[in-house]
Amino acid sequence: MLDDVEPVGLPDGETLRCPSCASEFRPKRSNQRYCSRPCQRRTTRNSSRGTRSTETGQRSRLHYDRAQRLAEMVYSAPPQDRLGVMKHILEFIPGDAGLRNILTDPELHMKPPRADNRLNISKAANAYTQAFYGLSVRKFIQSIQTGQQPEGIPLTDAHASQPTTTHNAP
């Protein structure tokens, strides 16, 4: 159908050379420079869309690799220290957008637990904030970002839970 359209503003029989593939073609418009859309996409700024998907894939891989490393950091700690590790990770929420993205990633929240019943970092952080603050990790992050300190159950050290005694010298 478009082949039946006569070129506009060009003398009959004039051909152009495509800057992308170097083939000769008869333009159908006076401003046509490429023989086809694929050739135009290969050489113009619109072709950067192809590299954007590559960059997006790389960014996604880095995102999920970091999520996995954070989970390994929690689960490589002895069981009695894992809550402290999670608390330490959550302290970085105000200044780390990548961490906030990982902890609120919907795909990570939908994944089932691993075969050994270990949660990914976003589910583990959600369980932590639910247990100690009564908030989802998303609500916890929102309260931190608005400058509010979320109310919750205060964590105590093992030493702080034991009463301290003072000895007076006779």
Side-chain angles (χ1 to χ4, degrees):
M1 179 173 184
L2 291 177
D3 294 334
D4 297 336
V5 177
E6 289 296 317
V8 178
L10 293 173
D12 285 339
E14 183 179 340
T15 60
L16 295 177
R17 186 167 298 277
C18 176
S20 178
C21 67
S23 66
E24 289 196 9
F25 69 99
R26 274 192 76 202
K28 297 189 177 21
R29 297 177 317 279
S30 61
N31 63 347
Q32 184 178 354
R33 295 185 318 195
Y34 298 93
C35 65
S36 65
R37 292 293 276 169
C39 281
Q40 181 181 6
R41 285 188 189 112
R42 271 194 295 273
T43 56
T44 63
R45 289 185 189 243
N46 288 337
S47 68
S48 68
R49 289 184 180 152
T51 60
R52 276 189 229 143
S53 67
T54 305
E55 291 168 1
T56 301
Q58 171 122 8
R59 194 175 314 116
S60 180
R61 278 189 298 282
L62 292 173
H63 172 83
Y64 290 110
D65 286 346
R66 184 176 180 204
Q68 185 175 356
R69 287 193 317 273
L70 286 167
E72 287 172 5
M73 188 166 67
V74 170
Y75 289 115
S76 66
Q80 65 271 16
D81 294 339
R82 289 180 186 164
L83 292 176
V85 172
M86 182 61 74
K87 181 180 178 186
H88 180 70
I89 289 170
L90 294 178
E91 289 172 354
F92 289 94
I93 286 174
D96 192 343
L99 176 62
R100 292 190 302 265
N101 289 338
I102 288 169
L103 297 180
T104 58
D105 186 331
E107 285 188 38
L108 288 173
H109 279 281
M110 291 187 313
K111 283 190 174 183
R114 297 181 351 184
D116 58 2
N117 286 328
R118 289 187 172 178
L119 303 173
N120 61 46
I121 189 65
S122 108
K123 282 187 159 190
N126 193 56
Y128 178 90
T129 58
Q130 286 282 350
F132 292 100
Y133 296 97
L135 299 171
S136 69
V137 72
R138 184 175 300 278
K139 294 284 185 186
F140 179 81
I141 289 171
Q142 287 172 351
S143 68
I144 295 286
Q145 286 185 306
T146 58
Q148 301 170 2
Q149 184 61 32
E151 296 292 324
I153 303 167
L155 294 178
T156 59
D157 293 347
H159 300 293
S161 62
Q162 298 175 356
T164 55
T165 56
T166 58
H167 298 283
N168 294 333

